[in-house]
Amino acid sequence: QQQVKQSPQSLIVQKGGISIINCAYENTAFDYFPWYQQFPGKGPALLIAIRPDVSEKKEGRFTISFNKSAKQFSLHIMDSQPGDSATYFCAASMARYQGGKLIFGQGTELSVKP
Amino acid sequence: DAGITQSPRHKVTETGTPVTLRCHQTENHRYMYWYRQDPGHGLRLIHYSYGVKDTDKGEVSDGYSVSRSKTEDFLLTLESATSSQTSVYFCAISGQGAAFFGQGTRLTVV
């Protein structure tokens, strides 16, 4: 019940295309859903996050779509660029842990081809 | 990296030896966390702290202990390192919202 399942495991997209990564969770007590971006040799960096009272949040080329009834959320990267090539992790937590006690998905390795 | 310093950045140690990893923050955040990252598993929480001397177990705490004697420092100790503890270890901090991660420590147990 604590799991967060992420797909696909790897993704190849052409420059300018849309990258879509999906996550599903089971614990309905989760109420904070961040996405992290990680480059090789670096720590994960917060990209964008959403709470379940909204269905979509957009920051620049990055959008989270949230479906509370289906217990699913997804990351869309519009106009994907080679610099977006990285590993992306979805995560979930309960707000009372101040957003740091996270359950992570398995990660998606994104490669954007020029 | 949000004022987080992990040390050492790389370490090779032998099976059965004790190892201590250090996380130091300059943000004065209340919460600190230790995660490990392994291929196919994402990041998994080992232990976390919600204040000085206040710690609790995470998802994969067996074989690890932690201590927090000052707000700025959170130590992770492997009492007797095993090969299964070969991993990349990340410290994270959070205050009123999101968690921020350090650069990581790559630990190899041979």
Side-chain angles (χ1 to χ4, degrees), chain A residues 53-107:
Chain A
D53 52 341
V54 297
S55 60
E56 185 175 283
K57 183 175 181 180
K58 184 176 181 179
E59 289 184 2
R61 296 185 294 107
F62 301 91
T63 300
I64 299 178
S65 297
F66 188 84
N67 185 330
K68 188 174 182 178
S69 61
K71 292 186 285 186
Q72 295 176 346
F73 58 111
S74 60
L75 176 69
H76 296 234
I77 305 174
M78 311 300 289
D79 187 27
S80 299
Q81 300 297 311
D84 297 330
S85 297
T87 301
Y88 293 81
F89 293 95
C90 63
S93 80
M94 290 173 270
R96 69 174 181 267
Y97 295 111
Q98 301 295 327
K101 189 179 177 187
L102 296 160
I103 304 296
F104 280 88
Q106 295 84 352

Side-chain angles (χ1 to χ4, degrees), chain A residues 33-45:
Chain A
F33 302 90
W35 284 89
Y36 283 83
Q37 179 189 56
Q38 185 180 31
F39 293 103
K42 303 292 186 182

